[in-house]
Short mmCIF file of all heavy atoms in Angstrom, two decimals:
data_model
loop_
_atom_site.label_atom_id
_atom_site.label_comp_id
_atom_site.label_asym_id
_atom_site.label_seq_id
_atom_site.Cartn_x
_atom_site.Cartn_y
_atom_site.Cartn_z
N MET R 1 -20.76 56.35 61.05
CA MET R 1 -21.20 55.11 61.17
C MET R 1 -20.52 54.21 62.31
O MET R 1 -20.18 53.18 62.19
CB MET R 1 -20.93 54.44 59.75
CG MET R 1 -21.07 53.01 59.57
SD MET R 1 -20.95 52.45 57.91
CE MET R 1 -19.53 53.25 57.16
N PRO R 2 -20.51 54.87 63.43
CA PRO R 2 -19.68 54.25 64.50
C PRO R 2 -20.38 53.09 65.12
O PRO R 2 -19.70 52.12 65.56
CB PRO R 2 -19.66 55.36 65.53
CG PRO R 2 -20.82 56.35 65.28
CD PRO R 2 -21.05 56.20 63.81
N ASP R 3 -21.71 52.98 65.09
CA ASP R 3 -22.35 51.72 65.72
C ASP R 3 -22.85 50.65 64.64
O ASP R 3 -23.51 49.74 65.12
CB ASP R 3 -23.63 52.27 66.50
CG ASP R 3 -23.08 53.17 67.69
OD1 ASP R 3 -22.08 52.85 68.25
OD2 ASP R 3 -23.86 54.12 67.97
N LEU R 4 -22.47 50.95 63.50
CA LEU R 4 -22.89 49.87 62.47
C LEU R 4 -22.01 48.69 62.38
O LEU R 4 -20.79 48.90 62.20
CB LEU R 4 -22.87 50.75 61.07
CG LEU R 4 -23.74 50.15 59.95
CD1 LEU R 4 -25.16 49.99 60.21
CD2 LEU R 4 -23.59 51.01 58.66
N THR R 5 -22.57 47.53 62.50
CA THR R 5 -21.71 46.41 62.33
C THR R 5 -21.67 45.99 60.98
O THR R 5 -22.38 46.46 60.03
CB THR R 5 -22.42 45.20 63.12
OG1 THR R 5 -23.63 44.77 62.55
CG2 THR R 5 -22.59 45.55 64.64
N PHE R 6 -20.69 45.09 60.70
CA PHE R 6 -20.56 44.58 59.23
C PHE R 6 -21.70 43.91 58.73
O PHE R 6 -22.29 44.31 57.67
CB PHE R 6 -19.31 43.61 59.14
CG PHE R 6 -19.14 43.06 57.84
CD1 PHE R 6 -18.68 43.93 56.79
CD2 PHE R 6 -19.41 41.76 57.51
CE1 PHE R 6 -18.50 43.35 55.55
CE2 PHE R 6 -19.26 41.24 56.24
CZ PHE R 6 -18.90 42.10 55.24
N ALA R 7 -22.45 43.12 59.54
CA ALA R 7 -23.81 42.43 59.09
C ALA R 7 -24.78 43.53 58.74
O ALA R 7 -25.47 43.39 57.86
CB ALA R 7 -24.15 41.55 60.20
N ASP R 8 -24.93 44.49 59.61
CA ASP R 8 -25.91 45.51 59.49
C ASP R 8 -25.60 46.43 58.18
O ASP R 8 -26.39 46.80 57.45
CB ASP R 8 -25.95 46.67 60.58
CG ASP R 8 -26.39 45.97 61.91
OD1 ASP R 8 -27.19 44.97 61.89
OD2 ASP R 8 -26.15 46.47 62.92
N PHE R 9 -24.32 46.65 57.92
CA PHE R 9 -23.80 47.39 56.66
C PHE R 9 -24.23 46.62 55.47
O PHE R 9 -24.78 47.15 54.53
CB PHE R 9 -22.29 47.48 56.75
CG PHE R 9 -21.72 48.10 55.55
CD1 PHE R 9 -21.76 49.39 55.22
CD2 PHE R 9 -20.88 47.29 54.73
CE1 PHE R 9 -21.26 50.02 54.14
CE2 PHE R 9 -20.32 47.77 53.53
CZ PHE R 9 -20.46 49.07 53.32
N VAL R 10 -23.99 45.30 55.42
CA VAL R 10 -24.27 44.48 54.22
C VAL R 10 -25.88 44.45 54.05
O VAL R 10 -26.37 44.59 52.98
CB VAL R 10 -23.81 43.04 54.43
CG1 VAL R 10 -24.33 42.13 53.42
CG2 VAL R 10 -22.27 43.02 54.41
N LYS R 11 -26.57 44.31 55.22
CA LYS R 11 -28.07 44.48 55.09
C LYS R 11 -28.67 45.76 54.60
O LYS R 11 -29.40 45.87 53.63
CB LYS R 11 -28.64 44.02 56.34
CG LYS R 11 -28.69 42.68 56.77
CD LYS R 11 -29.38 42.42 58.07
CE LYS R 11 -29.21 41.05 58.52
NZ LYS R 11 -29.78 40.71 59.83
N LEU R 12 -28.03 46.80 55.11
CA LEU R 12 -28.48 48.10 54.78
C LEU R 12 -28.34 48.39 53.35
O LEU R 12 -29.20 48.95 52.64
CB LEU R 12 -27.63 49.24 55.59
CG LEU R 12 -28.01 50.68 55.29
CD1 LEU R 12 -29.43 50.92 55.77
CD2 LEU R 12 -27.02 51.57 56.14
N TYR R 13 -27.13 48.13 52.71
CA TYR R 13 -26.93 48.52 51.30
C TYR R 13 -27.36 47.18 50.45
O TYR R 13 -27.01 47.31 49.19
CB TYR R 13 -25.54 48.86 51.14
CG TYR R 13 -25.22 50.15 51.78
CD1 TYR R 13 -24.60 50.40 52.96
CD2 TYR R 13 -25.59 51.36 51.15
CE1 TYR R 13 -24.33 51.58 53.55
CE2 TYR R 13 -25.46 52.63 51.65
CZ TYR R 13 -24.70 52.64 52.94
OH TYR R 13 -24.48 53.93 53.46
N SER R 14 -27.83 46.13 50.97
CA SER R 14 -28.06 44.97 50.10
C SER R 14 -26.86 44.61 49.30
O SER R 14 -27.02 44.38 48.05
CB SER R 14 -29.28 45.17 49.26
OG SER R 14 -30.48 45.54 50.14
N LEU R 15 -25.73 44.35 49.95
CA LEU R 15 -24.45 44.09 49.27
C LEU R 15 -24.25 42.62 49.00
O LEU R 15 -24.48 41.77 49.97
CB LEU R 15 -23.33 44.70 49.95
CG LEU R 15 -23.34 46.22 49.95
CD1 LEU R 15 -22.28 46.75 50.89
CD2 LEU R 15 -23.17 46.81 48.60
N PRO R 16 -23.79 42.19 47.82
CA PRO R 16 -23.30 40.80 47.60
C PRO R 16 -21.94 40.72 48.22
O PRO R 16 -21.38 41.69 48.72
CB PRO R 16 -23.14 40.82 46.17
CG PRO R 16 -22.80 42.17 45.72
CD PRO R 16 -23.52 43.07 46.66
N PRO R 17 -21.37 39.49 48.30
CA PRO R 17 -20.05 39.29 49.04
C PRO R 17 -18.90 40.03 48.25
O PRO R 17 -17.94 40.58 49.03
CB PRO R 17 -19.76 37.78 48.72
CG PRO R 17 -21.14 37.22 48.56
CD PRO R 17 -21.93 38.24 47.89
N ASN R 18 -19.04 40.41 47.02
CA ASN R 18 -18.07 41.18 46.31
C ASN R 18 -18.75 42.18 45.51
O ASN R 18 -19.89 41.98 44.93
CB ASN R 18 -17.13 40.29 45.35
CG ASN R 18 -16.52 39.25 46.10
OD1 ASN R 18 -15.81 39.47 47.02
ND2 ASN R 18 -16.78 38.04 45.54
N VAL R 19 -18.27 43.38 45.43
CA VAL R 19 -18.72 44.47 44.64
C VAL R 19 -17.83 44.87 43.49
O VAL R 19 -16.66 44.68 43.58
CB VAL R 19 -19.07 45.69 45.55
CG1 VAL R 19 -20.07 45.48 46.54
CG2 VAL R 19 -17.76 46.24 46.21
N THR R 20 -18.50 45.52 42.50
CA THR R 20 -17.63 45.84 41.28
C THR R 20 -16.75 47.04 41.78
O THR R 20 -17.18 47.80 42.79
CB THR R 20 -18.48 46.37 40.19
OG1 THR R 20 -19.33 47.44 40.62
CG2 THR R 20 -19.47 45.25 39.69
N VAL R 21 -15.72 47.42 41.04
CA VAL R 21 -14.93 48.56 41.30
C VAL R 21 -15.78 49.83 41.20
O VAL R 21 -15.56 50.65 42.03
CB VAL R 21 -13.69 48.58 40.19
CG1 VAL R 21 -12.95 49.90 40.34
CG2 VAL R 21 -12.71 47.40 40.44
N ARG R 22 -16.52 49.98 40.24
CA ARG R 22 -17.36 51.15 40.12
C ARG R 22 -18.29 51.33 41.34
O ARG R 22 -18.33 52.40 41.89
CB ARG R 22 -18.27 51.04 38.97
CG ARG R 22 -19.14 52.22 38.60
CD ARG R 22 -19.97 51.98 37.38
NE ARG R 22 -20.81 53.15 37.17
CZ ARG R 22 -21.77 53.24 36.21
NH1 ARG R 22 -21.76 52.30 35.33
NH2 ARG R 22 -22.47 54.39 36.06
N HIS R 23 -18.89 50.33 41.78
CA HIS R 23 -19.86 50.36 43.03
C HIS R 23 -19.07 50.76 44.22
O HIS R 23 -19.36 51.54 45.05
CB HIS R 23 -20.53 48.96 43.12
CG HIS R 23 -21.82 49.31 44.00
ND1 HIS R 23 -22.43 48.07 44.52
CD2 HIS R 23 -22.47 50.25 44.41
CE1 HIS R 23 -23.49 48.45 45.22
NE2 HIS R 23 -23.50 49.75 45.24
N PHE R 24 -17.82 50.15 44.30
CA PHE R 24 -16.90 50.39 45.41
C PHE R 24 -16.63 51.90 45.59
O PHE R 24 -16.77 52.59 46.56
CB PHE R 24 -15.65 49.49 45.39
CG PHE R 24 -14.81 49.60 46.48
CD1 PHE R 24 -14.72 48.73 47.51
CD2 PHE R 24 -13.97 50.76 46.64
CE1 PHE R 24 -13.81 48.75 48.52
CE2 PHE R 24 -13.06 50.91 47.74
CZ PHE R 24 -12.99 49.91 48.72
N LYS R 25 -16.18 52.36 44.38
CA LYS R 25 -15.70 53.76 44.42
C LYS R 25 -17.00 54.84 44.60
O LYS R 25 -16.71 55.68 45.41
CB LYS R 25 -15.26 54.20 43.01
CG LYS R 25 -13.82 53.50 42.78
CD LYS R 25 -13.16 53.99 41.46
CE LYS R 25 -14.00 53.90 40.22
NZ LYS R 25 -13.37 54.43 38.98
N GLU R 26 -18.11 54.44 44.03
CA GLU R 26 -19.35 55.24 44.54
C GLU R 26 -19.63 55.13 45.89
O GLU R 26 -19.78 56.27 46.59
CB GLU R 26 -20.52 54.62 43.62
CG GLU R 26 -20.45 54.96 42.12
CD GLU R 26 -21.66 54.31 41.32
OE1 GLU R 26 -22.50 53.69 42.02
OE2 GLU R 26 -21.48 54.43 40.15
N LEU R 27 -19.70 54.04 46.62
CA LEU R 27 -20.02 54.01 47.96
C LEU R 27 -18.94 54.55 48.87
O LEU R 27 -19.22 55.13 49.88
CB LEU R 27 -20.30 52.48 48.37
CG LEU R 27 -21.58 51.88 47.67
CD1 LEU R 27 -21.62 50.40 48.10
CD2 LEU R 27 -22.77 52.56 48.27
N ALA R 28 -17.63 54.35 48.41
CA ALA R 28 -16.61 54.92 49.38
C ALA R 28 -16.44 56.42 49.05
O ALA R 28 -15.75 57.09 49.95
CB ALA R 28 -15.34 54.14 48.96
N GLY R 29 -16.78 56.92 47.94
CA GLY R 29 -16.67 58.29 47.76
C GLY R 29 -15.17 58.68 47.22
O GLY R 29 -14.73 59.70 47.60
N ILE R 30 -14.61 57.69 46.63
CA ILE R 30 -13.20 57.92 46.10
C ILE R 30 -13.10 57.78 44.66
O ILE R 30 -13.96 57.31 44.09
CB ILE R 30 -12.12 56.87 46.84
CG1 ILE R 30 -12.46 55.50 46.41
CG2 ILE R 30 -12.09 57.09 48.38
CD1 ILE R 30 -11.56 54.47 46.97
N GLY R 31 -12.06 58.32 44.08
CA GLY R 31 -11.91 58.25 42.63
C GLY R 31 -11.09 57.19 42.13
O GLY R 31 -10.52 56.35 43.00
N HIS R 32 -10.99 57.11 40.86
CA HIS R 32 -10.20 56.10 40.09
C HIS R 32 -8.65 55.94 40.77
O HIS R 32 -8.30 54.94 41.16
CB HIS R 32 -10.19 56.34 38.76
CG HIS R 32 -9.65 55.23 38.00
ND1 HIS R 32 -10.39 54.12 37.56
CD2 HIS R 32 -8.47 55.08 37.33
CE1 HIS R 32 -9.62 53.30 36.90
NE2 HIS R 32 -8.42 53.76 36.73
N THR R 33 -8.05 57.12 40.77
CA THR R 33 -6.65 57.03 41.24
C THR R 33 -6.48 56.65 42.57
O THR R 33 -5.63 55.80 42.95
CB THR R 33 -6.02 58.57 41.02
OG1 THR R 33 -6.16 59.03 39.68
CG2 THR R 33 -4.51 58.66 41.47
N ARG R 34 -7.29 57.20 43.61
CA ARG R 34 -7.25 56.78 44.81
C ARG R 34 -7.35 55.31 45.08
O ARG R 34 -6.81 54.54 45.88
CB ARG R 34 -8.19 57.58 45.82
CG ARG R 34 -8.17 57.29 47.29
CD ARG R 34 -6.85 57.66 47.90
NE ARG R 34 -6.85 57.53 49.29
CZ ARG R 34 -5.83 56.91 49.98
NH1 ARG R 34 -4.65 56.65 49.39
NH2 ARG R 34 -5.92 56.72 51.21
N PHE R 35 -8.49 54.80 44.37
CA PHE R 35 -8.82 53.42 44.47
C PHE R 35 -7.55 52.49 44.06
O PHE R 35 -7.21 51.76 44.85
CB PHE R 35 -9.95 53.07 43.58
CG PHE R 35 -10.40 51.69 43.48
CD1 PHE R 35 -11.21 50.98 44.47
CD2 PHE R 35 -9.76 50.79 42.53
CE1 PHE R 35 -11.42 49.73 44.48
CE2 PHE R 35 -10.00 49.55 42.47
CZ PHE R 35 -10.95 48.94 43.47
N TYR R 36 -6.99 52.74 43.06
CA TYR R 36 -5.84 51.99 42.60
C TYR R 36 -4.63 52.27 43.40
O TYR R 36 -3.81 51.32 43.50
CB TYR R 36 -5.61 52.11 41.05
CG TYR R 36 -6.61 51.39 40.38
CD1 TYR R 36 -7.76 51.99 39.72
CD2 TYR R 36 -6.65 49.92 40.32
CE1 TYR R 36 -8.71 51.25 38.99
CE2 TYR R 36 -7.54 49.26 39.65
CZ TYR R 36 -8.62 49.77 38.96
OH TYR R 36 -9.57 49.07 38.47
N GLU R 37 -4.39 53.33 44.10
CA GLU R 37 -3.46 53.60 45.01
C GLU R 37 -3.57 52.68 46.10
O GLU R 37 -2.53 51.93 46.73
CB GLU R 37 -3.34 54.99 45.52
CG GLU R 37 -2.84 55.99 44.58
CD GLU R 37 -2.90 57.52 45.13
OE1 GLU R 37 -3.50 57.73 46.17
OE2 GLU R 37 -2.49 58.48 44.43
N LEU R 38 -4.81 52.49 46.84
CA LEU R 38 -5.09 51.64 47.88
C LEU R 38 -4.85 50.25 47.41
O LEU R 38 -4.28 49.33 48.17
CB LEU R 38 -6.43 51.92 48.31
CG LEU R 38 -6.76 53.19 49.00
CD1 LEU R 38 -8.25 53.37 49.39
CD2 LEU R 38 -5.92 53.23 50.40
N ALA R 39 -5.16 49.80 46.23
CA ALA R 39 -5.02 48.44 45.77
C ALA R 39 -3.52 48.22 45.68
O ALA R 39 -3.06 47.18 45.90
CB ALA R 39 -5.69 48.33 44.43
N LYS R 40 -2.79 49.11 45.02
CA LYS R 40 -1.41 48.97 44.96
C LYS R 40 -0.62 48.70 46.30
O LYS R 40 0.36 47.98 46.38
CB LYS R 40 -0.69 50.09 44.15
CG LYS R 40 0.79 49.91 43.84
CD LYS R 40 1.20 51.08 43.04
CE LYS R 40 2.68 50.88 42.72
NZ LYS R 40 3.30 52.13 42.02
N GLN R 41 -1.10 49.38 47.24
CA GLN R 41 -0.59 49.30 48.65
C GLN R 41 -1.03 48.00 49.30
O GLN R 41 -0.60 47.82 50.51
CB GLN R 41 -0.94 50.57 49.48
CG GLN R 41 -0.33 51.92 48.92
CD GLN R 41 -1.05 53.07 49.48
OE1 GLN R 41 -1.91 52.92 50.36
NE2 GLN R 41 -0.54 54.26 49.19
N GLY R 42 -1.97 47.33 48.77
CA GLY R 42 -2.49 46.16 49.26
C GLY R 42 -3.62 46.47 50.35
O GLY R 42 -3.97 45.47 50.99
N GLN R 43 -4.11 47.57 50.30
CA GLN R 43 -5.18 47.81 51.31
C GLN R 43 -6.60 47.51 50.78
O GLN R 43 -7.40 47.29 51.64
CB GLN R 43 -5.24 49.46 51.61
CG GLN R 43 -3.84 50.01 51.91
CD GLN R 43 -3.52 49.46 53.30
OE1 GLN R 43 -4.25 49.31 54.22
NE2 GLN R 43 -2.22 49.10 53.51
N ILE R 44 -6.69 47.25 49.58
CA ILE R 44 -7.94 46.80 48.87
C ILE R 44 -7.45 45.58 48.07
O ILE R 44 -6.51 45.61 47.27
CB ILE R 44 -8.57 47.84 47.99
CG1 ILE R 44 -8.97 49.03 48.71
CG2 ILE R 44 -9.75 47.35 47.21
CD1 ILE R 44 -9.48 50.20 47.86
N ARG R 45 -8.21 44.48 48.19
CA ARG R 45 -8.02 43.28 47.45
C ARG R 45 -8.66 43.30 46.26
O ARG R 45 -10.07 43.52 46.19
CB ARG R 45 -8.35 41.98 48.25
CG ARG R 45 -7.49 41.89 49.57
CD ARG R 45 -8.03 40.67 50.38
NE ARG R 45 -9.24 41.25 51.02
CZ ARG R 45 -10.12 40.60 51.69
NH1 ARG R 45 -9.92 39.28 51.75
NH2 ARG R 45 -11.26 41.06 52.28
N LEU R 46 -8.06 43.08 45.07
CA LEU R 46 -8.84 42.87 43.82
C LEU R 46 -8.93 41.44 43.37
O LEU R 46 -8.09 40.75 43.39
CB LEU R 46 -8.01 43.71 42.67
CG LEU R 46 -7.71 45.11 42.93
CD1 LEU R 46 -6.88 45.67 41.79
CD2 LEU R 46 -9.02 45.84 43.15
N LEU R 47 -10.27 41.09 43.07
CA LEU R 47 -10.48 39.77 42.67
C LEU R 47 -10.86 39.78 41.04
O LEU R 47 -11.69 40.34 40.62
CB LEU R 47 -11.62 39.23 43.43
CG LEU R 47 -11.61 39.30 44.95
CD1 LEU R 47 -12.89 38.97 45.60
CD2 LEU R 47 -10.51 38.35 45.42
N LYS R 48 -10.08 38.91 40.41
CA LYS R 48 -10.31 38.82 38.94
C LYS R 48 -11.17 37.63 38.66
O LYS R 48 -10.94 36.52 39.16
CB LYS R 48 -8.96 38.79 38.23
CG LYS R 48 -8.11 40.08 38.21
CD LYS R 48 -8.77 41.21 37.58
CE LYS R 48 -8.76 41.03 36.07
NZ LYS R 48 -9.34 42.15 35.39
N ASN R 49 -12.23 37.79 37.73
CA ASN R 49 -12.90 36.73 37.25
C ASN R 49 -13.05 36.98 35.74
O ASN R 49 -13.95 37.75 35.34
CB ASN R 49 -14.24 36.72 37.99
CG ASN R 49 -15.16 35.55 37.42
OD1 ASN R 49 -14.57 34.58 36.84
ND2 ASN R 49 -16.45 35.50 37.76
N GLY R 50 -12.25 36.42 34.97
CA GLY R 50 -12.11 36.70 33.60
C GLY R 50 -11.59 38.06 33.36
O GLY R 50 -10.69 38.55 33.84
N ARG R 51 -12.51 38.88 32.71
CA ARG R 51 -12.14 40.32 32.36
C ARG R 51 -12.77 41.17 33.48
O ARG R 51 -12.51 42.39 33.51
CB ARG R 51 -12.80 40.67 31.14
CG ARG R 51 -11.97 40.15 29.99
CD ARG R 51 -12.41 40.43 28.50
NE ARG R 51 -13.37 41.52 28.47
CZ ARG R 51 -13.98 41.95 27.28
NH1 ARG R 51 -13.64 41.19 26.14
NH2 ARG R 51 -14.96 42.89 27.28
N SER R 52 -13.57 40.68 34.44
CA SER R 52 -14.25 41.49 35.53
C SER R 52 -13.47 41.53 36.74
O SER R 52 -12.64 40.57 37.04
CB SER R 52 -15.61 40.71 35.91
OG SER R 52 -16.39 40.77 34.76
N THR R 53 -13.38 42.65 37.35
CA THR R 53 -12.63 42.86 38.62
C THR R 53 -13.65 43.18 39.69
O THR R 53 -14.61 44.06 39.49
CB THR R 53 -11.65 43.93 38.54
OG1 THR R 53 -10.71 43.64 37.35
CG2 THR R 53 -10.84 44.04 39.80
N SER R 54 -13.58 42.52 40.92
CA SER R 54 -14.49 42.85 41.94
C SER R 54 -13.62 43.07 43.22
O SER R 54 -12.45 42.78 43.19
CB SER R 54 -15.53 41.80 42.22
OG SER R 54 -14.97 40.63 42.41
N VAL R 55 -14.24 43.47 44.27
CA VAL R 55 -13.54 43.79 45.52
C VAL R 55 -14.42 43.18 46.70
O VAL R 55 -15.62 43.34 46.69
CB VAL R 55 -13.40 45.26 45.84
CG1 VAL R 55 -12.62 45.61 47.10
CG2 VAL R 55 -12.73 45.90 44.68
N PRO R 56 -13.83 42.46 47.64
CA PRO R 56 -14.56 41.99 48.75
C PRO R 56 -15.27 43.14 49.52
O PRO R 56 -14.64 44.16 49.74
CB PRO R 56 -13.61 41.18 49.69
CG PRO R 56 -12.44 41.07 48.76
CD PRO R 56 -12.40 42.09 47.65
N VAL R 57 -16.57 42.89 49.93
CA VAL R 57 -17.29 43.87 50.61
C VAL R 57 -16.68 44.31 51.99
O VAL R 57 -16.87 45.37 52.50
CB VAL R 57 -18.78 43.51 50.71
CG1 VAL R 57 -19.05 42.42 51.81
CG2 VAL R 57 -19.68 44.69 50.98
N GLU R 58 -15.86 43.38 52.46
CA GLU R 58 -15.12 43.69 53.75
C GLU R 58 -14.20 44.86 53.54
O GLU R 58 -13.95 45.55 54.43
CB GLU R 58 -14.35 42.40 54.23
CG GLU R 58 -15.23 41.26 54.73
CD GLU R 58 -15.49 40.34 53.58
OE1 GLU R 58 -15.03 40.55 52.38
OE2 GLU R 58 -16.12 39.24 53.77
N ASP R 59 -13.57 44.78 52.48
CA ASP R 59 -12.65 46.02 52.26
C ASP R 59 -13.26 47.31 52.08
O ASP R 59 -12.82 48.37 52.53
CB ASP R 59 -11.79 45.75 50.86
CG ASP R 59 -10.93 44.52 51.02
OD1 ASP R 59 -10.83 43.94 52.17
OD2 ASP R 59 -10.36 44.26 49.97
N LEU R 60 -14.59 47.46 51.44
CA LEU R 60 -15.38 48.42 51.47
C LEU R 60 -15.72 49.01 52.88
O LEU R 60 -15.56 50.19 53.15
CB LEU R 60 -16.68 48.31 50.67
CG LEU R 60 -17.62 49.39 50.62
CD1 LEU R 60 -17.04 50.70 50.06
CD2 LEU R 60 -18.95 49.00 49.86
N PHE R 61 -16.13 47.99 53.61
CA PHE R 61 -16.49 48.38 55.13
C PHE R 61 -15.20 48.95 55.80
O PHE R 61 -15.46 49.92 56.55
CB PHE R 61 -17.01 47.11 55.76
CG PHE R 61 -17.47 47.30 57.22
CD1 PHE R 61 -18.57 47.94 57.37
CD2 PHE R 61 -16.65 46.71 58.32
CE1 PHE R 61 -19.06 48.19 58.72
CE2 PHE R 61 -17.21 46.98 59.63
CZ PHE R 61 -18.40 47.66 59.82
N SER R 62 -14.11 48.49 55.64
CA SER R 62 -12.97 48.98 56.19
C SER R 62 -12.56 50.45 55.78
O SER R 62 -12.24 51.26 56.57
CB SER R 62 -11.70 48.05 55.98
OG SER R 62 -11.82 46.76 56.48
N VAL R 63 -12.80 50.68 54.44
CA VAL R 63 -12.55 51.96 53.94
C VAL R 63 -13.59 53.01 54.53
O VAL R 63 -13.08 54.15 55.20
CB VAL R 63 -12.67 52.03 52.50
CG1 VAL R 63 -12.75 53.50 51.93
CG2 VAL R 63 -11.43 51.27 51.86
N LEU R 64 -14.81 52.50 54.72
CA LEU R 64 -15.79 53.53 55.24
C LEU R 64 -15.66 53.54 56.72
O LEU R 64 -16.05 54.75 57.24
CB LEU R 64 -17.22 52.89 54.83
CG LEU R 64 -17.56 52.98 53.39
CD1 LEU R 64 -18.85 52.29 53.31
CD2 LEU R 64 -17.55 54.44 52.89
N ARG R 65 -15.06 52.76 57.45
CA ARG R 65 -14.77 52.84 58.88
C ARG R 65 -13.62 53.62 59.06
O ARG R 65 -13.27 53.98 60.34
CB ARG R 65 -14.76 51.54 59.49
CG ARG R 65 -15.87 50.59 59.53
CD ARG R 65 -16.94 51.11 60.41
NE ARG R 65 -16.42 50.93 61.81
CZ ARG R 65 -17.16 51.03 62.86
NH1 ARG R 65 -18.48 51.27 62.69
NH2 ARG R 65 -16.64 50.93 64.03
N GLY R 66 -12.78 53.91 58.08
CA GLY R 66 -11.55 54.66 58.33
C GLY R 66 -10.29 53.92 58.54
O GLY R 66 -9.29 54.50 58.89
N GLY R 67 -10.48 52.44 58.69
CA GLY R 67 -9.24 51.71 58.95
C GLY R 67 -8.13 51.75 58.01
O GLY R 67 -7.01 51.74 58.36
N LEU R 68 -8.52 51.98 56.72
CA LEU R 68 -7.54 51.96 55.74
C LEU R 68 -6.64 53.34 55.68
O LEU R 68 -5.55 53.40 55.56
CB LEU R 68 -7.96 51.76 54.36
CG LEU R 68 -8.63 50.39 54.10
CD1 LEU R 68 -9.24 50.25 52.73
CD2 LEU R 68 -7.54 49.39 54.38
N ASN R 69 -7.40 54.43 55.93
CA ASN R 69 -6.88 55.78 55.82
C ASN R 69 -5.82 55.97 56.93
O ASN R 69 -4.72 56.55 56.82
CB ASN R 69 -7.90 56.85 56.02
CG ASN R 69 -8.85 56.87 54.72
OD1 ASN R 69 -8.55 56.55 53.72
ND2 ASN R 69 -10.13 57.38 55.03
N ALA R 70 -6.01 55.44 58.12
CA ALA R 70 -4.96 55.42 59.19
C ALA R 70 -3.82 54.68 58.84
O ALA R 70 -2.68 55.14 59.10
CB ALA R 70 -5.68 54.91 60.46
N ARG R 71 -3.87 53.45 58.21
CA ARG R 71 -2.69 52.76 57.75
C ARG R 71 -1.98 53.35 56.59
O ARG R 71 -0.72 53.33 56.65
CB ARG R 71 -3.19 51.26 57.30
CG ARG R 71 -3.54 50.48 58.67
CD ARG R 71 -3.70 49.01 58.21
NE ARG R 71 -4.99 48.93 57.67
CZ ARG R 71 -5.52 47.79 57.26
NH1 ARG R 71 -4.77 46.72 57.17
NH2 ARG R 71 -6.81 47.69 56.72
N VAL R 72 -2.76 54.10 55.75
CA VAL R 72 -2.05 54.61 54.59
C VAL R 72 -1.18 55.87 55.18
O VAL R 72 -0.17 56.15 54.65
CB VAL R 72 -3.01 55.12 53.54
CG1 VAL R 72 -2.35 56.05 52.54
CG2 VAL R 72 -3.60 53.98 52.91
N ALA R 73 -1.73 56.65 56.10
CA ALA R 73 -1.13 57.81 56.66
C ALA R 73 0.12 57.58 57.51
O ALA R 73 1.02 58.33 57.52
CB ALA R 73 -2.09 58.60 57.42
N ALA R 74 0.07 56.39 58.07
CA ALA R 74 1.24 56.04 58.91
C ALA R 74 2.53 55.71 58.20
O ALA R 74 2.67 55.42 57.03
CB ALA R 74 0.92 54.76 59.72
#
């Protein structure tokens, strides 16, 4: 996805501003443990709304672009 801009990414997947944890993990191709490791490290922001948890779509874009993996490995 080298030439895909954030705006194109949102349009392509018809994404809302925030996605559910389940949807995030499906699109990113990561499991439950890896997701919460990234959240604990502050790489993914968790937004609470009552009992629901969502994640900003910008964080999903960063994961898919590889930006988070580089910071975690360092």
Side-chain angles (χ1 to χ4, degrees):
M1 174 170 41
D3 298 322
L4 194 62
T5 66
F6 178 71
D8 292 338
F9 172 74
V10 171
K11 285 182 190 176
L12 178 65
Y13 291 101
S14 302
L15 295 171
N18 300 309
V19 294
T20 64
V21 171
R22 180 179 179 187
H23 198 194
F24 184 102
K25 293 188 307 182
E26 288 174 3
L27 290 172
I30 61 176
H32 188 78
T33 303
R34 181 66 177 139
F35 175 84
Y36 283 102
E37 284 174 355
L38 291 172
K40 184 177 180 181
Q41 295 168 357
Q43 305 298 318
I44 296 173
R45 296 170 287 167
L46 301 180
L47 306 174
K48 294 294 288 180
N49 184 13
R51 292 180 8 185
S52 300
T53 303
S54 60
V55 183
V57 74
E58 294 91 354
D59 293 355
L60 175 61
F61 185 69
S62 294
V63 167
L64 295 176
R65 295 286 296 191
L68 296 179
N69 293 331
R71 286 189 277 177
V72 171

